[in-house]
Amino acid sequence: MLAMVRAATEEGSFAAVFNAHHRQAVRLAYLLTSDAFQAEDIAAEAFAKVYVRWKRGEVRDVGAYLRRAVANEANSKLRRRYLERRESSRRSGDDRGVRLVDEDAADRDEVWAALARLPDRQRHAVVLRYYEDLSEAETAQLLGCSVGTVKSQVSRGLAKLERMLDPAADAGRGGGSR
Amino acid sequence: MTRIEQRVRDSLQARATDVEPTPDLWDAVDRRITRRRRVRVTAWALAGAAALAAVLVVPGLLTGTISLPDIEPITPPPVEEVEVDVPAEPLIVVHDRDLSVVTAQEVRTLVTLPEEGESTFVHVAVRPGSTLDDLTVVTTTTAEGFHDLRWTRLVDGEVVVAHTAFEGAYAPAAAASTTASLSVPVWAPDGSAVAWIDQVGGDATLRVVGWDDGPGTGDPATDNTAFTLELPAGVPLHLQEWVGSVSTVEGMTEIRAVRDDLTTGWYTIPLLRQADGAWSQPAGAPSVTAEPGPPVDGVTAALAGVTDDVVVRFMVRLTDVGAVLVTDPYGTAVSTALPDDLQPDARAAALWLAPAGDGVVVGGSEAGVAWAVAPDGTLTPLDVPIRWGSTLR
């Protein structure tokens, strides 16, 4: 409650910005990392970074800016991936992290399970292309890589998903691409 | 849309709608904003006090702790001592005829070029995997209009190979012609090869030389190779870094470069490592590709990132108000105006970046100065003459 009072006074309309975008930010972070604990951490860090620029009046499109901040935060987690996984495992059972409306739905979703097994860069590219509906050029700009790299990552990611989801069909095609 | 694309889209939408943020999220944002505000206040207090004192002691800064000078500040700083996250990692530097290491404790000259040769160092690139106990560097030197490549190795502080020139098949064109220019050398991420650009007239050639205790491996596949770069003539390309694992294609890497052609982005040179270790360029792909710049003002003069990361972490942008360091240019894009003594050098050929921890060192080769930039934007001059620098990684 104290936080909300502050939001109404000192931080002013940033609370409105938060209210308008926080759900989308957390969802994107969750899809990028497949990690409930990291999702909120990433979203909070992204909002804090956006706040600095927003307060100076440098952010024209908060949604796009926040998306970039979330993707960048998720990307930077790659380097700390091992430690984060260990921390996430250690904290399993506590009540932090996003809430899942249907706790079992994700477990029943075999596509989601396969997505979680993709290498981080492939999953980031796939999520940005098929969840955020970004173009290849927009995805490349957001990930700080070339368009060719995005094409390659998405193509390889989809091929790998197909193999994981339908190994029999893949075997029937002769094993598919490497 | 294919079936697998539709399944992925449906799954992502379903999982997204299954996620609800906790009520604690705003508190977490609030805590982070408060913490950042405190850091900024501290940094401003430090900067004001330091400016009044006009004295900064580099070894103290490099240890990460600064004791405020004993002065009467206009506005009393809120703290007596602050932690500043400036690089504590060793920086290998060249200046004039000296190759030195700058650490938290000292500035130590490792080798000095002989006076009679009248050569001076221009660039330095540290081989990945080097330590202060086993250090290999490639340097460019200049003498009487010629540019040359040399390498040096030190083990346990002792020079075992001293500034030996690249010779024969490995010699750069600029070693034999004063009309040829030589770029900054860059190392393959695993230290297995070193590359540079020979620019002769309008022709730019990327040279890649395998490394095995020195230039060349003796194996025809990996010993040395060259690639003609298809570029508009006239403006040289300046190599910045060689990045590994840029895509899921096995063996794909890229060398990143910038040009003084007012491009907003940068250039990539794709290099594919074959199963036998040979380097090639992907068939059918351009030898050099212009990449889009970040959505921030200016044109690119220098860039640097983490070797195994595809994201550019630092850029020097030339803007209407001068050279600016942009941290996280594709994310939060935090800008730091560079000091006046770096501004005359503000072009790609003269500026260099060396990531160090979470910060970066920015240098200007003509002014011979370098500044450490901490993650919070705090600038600290490295109080020794430095023409070019490279950190261990």
Side-chain angles (χ1 to χ4, degrees):
Chain A
M1 182 59 69
L2 177 62
M4 295 311 292
V5 172
R6 285 195 58 186
T9 54
E10 184 183 347
E11 308 304 343
S13 57
F14 192 67
V17 170
F18 174 83
N19 286 332
H21 296 284
H22 74 294
R23 185 169 283 106
Q24 182 71 5
V26 168
R27 287 174 172 174
L28 176 59
Y30 179 63
L31 296 180
L32 289 172
T33 61
S34 309
D35 187 314
F37 173 75
Q38 282 195 358
E40 288 229 325
D41 203 37
I42 287 169
E45 188 65 21
F47 269 108
K49 288 181 174 174
V50 168
Y51 172 78
V52 176
R53 304 290 297 263
W54 172 86
K55 190 160 185 166
R56 294 202 298 251
E58 297 174 359
V59 180
R60 285 194 295 269
D61 182 346
V62 173
Y65 199 90
L66 192 61
R67 185 168 57 209
R68 184 177 300 120
V70 167
N72 199 55
E73 277 300 308
N75 206 31
S76 71
K77 294 280 185 190
L78 288 174
R79 279 170 276 143
R80 300 192 295 271
R81 191 72 182 174
Y82 171 72
L83 291 175
E84 296 285 349
R85 279 187 178 142
R86 196 171 61 178
E87 177 72 358
S88 180
S89 170
R90 191 176 66 79
R91 287 173 167 168
S92 64
D94 73 13
D95 58 356
R96 282 176 285 187
V98 297
R99 292 181 306 186
L100 299 178
V101 175
D102 181 349
E103 294 283 351
D104 299 324
D107 293 337
R108 293 194 301 267
D109 186 342
E110 60 176 2
V111 178
W112 175 245
L115 273 164
R117 290 165 59 193
L118 289 182
D120 294 302
R121 288 176 187 138
Q122 285 180 16
R123 190 175 63 252
H124 288 194
V126 168
V127 168
L128 292 171
R129 289 281 286 122
Y130 295 106
Y131 175 67
E132 290 288 348
D133 278 332
L134 300 185
S135 68
E136 288 169 339
E138 289 169 327
T139 303
Q141 190 176 57
L142 212 132
L143 294 179
C145 63
S146 64
V147 171
T149 298
V150 169
K151 286 180 179 174
S152 165
Q153 285 172 334
V154 171
S155 169
R156 295 265 167 179
L158 291 177
K160 195 171 289 186
L161 287 171
E162 275 191 306
R163 288 200 298 277
M164 286 192 278
L165 294 170
D166 198 356
D170 184 63
R173 288 194 296 268
S177 59
R178 183 174 56 83
Chain B
M1 180 170 293
T2 64
R3 182 166 172 270
I4 185 64
E5 288 177 315
Q6 190 61 53
R7 289 183 74 186
V8 168
R9 189 183 295 273
D10 292 346
S11 173
L12 290 172
Q13 289 295 341
R15 296 288 63 76
T17 53
D18 196 32
V19 170
E20 278 298 320
T22 67
D24 298 333
L25 180 57
W26 173 257
D27 279 342
V29 174
D30 195 36
R31 279 196 301 274
R32 281 171 163 84
I33 290 174
T34 303
R35 192 171 66 221
R36 278 180 163 73
R37 190 178 289 130
R38 193 179 301 132
V39 168
R40 279 199 301 277
V41 168
T42 303
W44 277 109
L46 173 66
L52 281 170
V55 171
L56 284 170
V57 183
V58 170
L61 294 172
L62 288 169
T63 61
T65 302
I66 296 174
S67 296
L68 290 177
D70 186 17
I71 56 167
E72 187 65 35
I74 295 171
T75 303
V79 289
E80 293 298 319
E81 185 174 90
V82 295
E83 295 290 327
V84 177
D85 189 14
V86 294
E89 298 172 18
L91 184 68
I92 308 300
V93 305
V94 291
H95 189 266
D96 198 9
R97 294 187 295 116
D98 293 334
L99 169 71
S100 310
V101 56
V102 179
T103 68
Q105 290 77 35
E106 62 180 353
V107 179
R108 182 159 49 98
T109 299
L110 302 175
V111 294
T112 300
L113 291 173
E115 194 170 350
E116 58 269 24
E118 295 182 348
S119 291
T120 57
F121 286 115
V122 184
H123 309 121
V124 59
V126 176
R127 188 184 187 208
S130 287
T131 65
L132 286 184
D133 295 331
D134 191 346
L135 175 69
T136 299
V137 299
V138 165
T139 55
T140 65
T141 59
T142 181
E144 297 176 342
F146 294 93
H147 286 74
D148 210 348
L149 275 172
R150 296 165 183 261
W151 63 286
T152 303
R153 185 176 178 207
L154 297 98
V155 176
D156 295 332
E158 298 292 324
V159 176
V160 294
V161 179
H163 45 78
T164 297
F166 284 38
E167 294 177 332
Y170 318 118
S177 168
T178 56
T179 60
S181 67
L182 174 62
S183 77
V184 185
V186 290
W187 284 94
D190 61 358
S192 64
V194 65
W196 69 90
I197 289 178
D198 278 338
Q199 186 100 22
V200 183
D203 298 326
T205 304
L206 180 74
R207 303 274 305 278
V208 181
V209 168
W211 198 268
D212 183 15
D213 286 334
T217 63
D219 176 352
T222 58
D223 189 75
N224 75 94
T225 186
F227 305 97
T228 300
L229 302 178
E230 296 141 6
L231 279 170
V235 184
L237 202 59
H238 306 290
L239 302 185
Q240 302 287 297
E241 60 180 4
W242 191 338
V243 184
S245 305
V246 294
S247 79
T248 54
V249 177
E250 190 173 341
M252 182 64 82
T253 69
E254 69 182 25
I255 295 177
R256 296 170 174 172
V258 298
R259 296 179 83 195
D260 290 313
D261 62 353
L262 302 182
T263 184
T264 61
W266 78 90
Y267 292 84
T268 60
I269 305 170
L271 282 180
L272 193 57
R273 185 155 214 181
Q274 308 291 343
D276 63 357
W279 293 100
S280 67
Q281 290 210 282
S287 60
V288 188
T289 305
E291 302 291 351
V296 293
D297 291 340
V299 298
T300 310
L303 63 86
V306 178
T307 303
D308 59 356
D309 196 336
V310 296
V311 178
V312 176
R313 291 172 61 204
F314 303 102
M315 270 189 184
V316 174
R317 308 281 292 179
L318 307 184
T319 72
D320 292 341
V321 294
V324 171
L325 173 73
V326 182
T327 304
D328 190 15
Y330 289 91
T332 50
V334 177
S335 296
T336 303
L338 292 177
D340 288 344
D341 57 8
L342 284 174
Q343 297 297 339
D345 277 5
R347 57 190 178 81
L351 287 170
W352 54 271
L353 286 169
D358 291 332
V360 67
V361 178
V362 187
S365 64
E366 290 175 4
V369 297
W371 293 70
V373 186
D376 68 354
T378 304
L379 285 153
T380 304
L382 301 186
D383 199 16
V384 288
I386 297 174
R387 182 158 185 178
W388 207 272
S390 177
T391 37
L392 302 179
R393 60 194 170 92

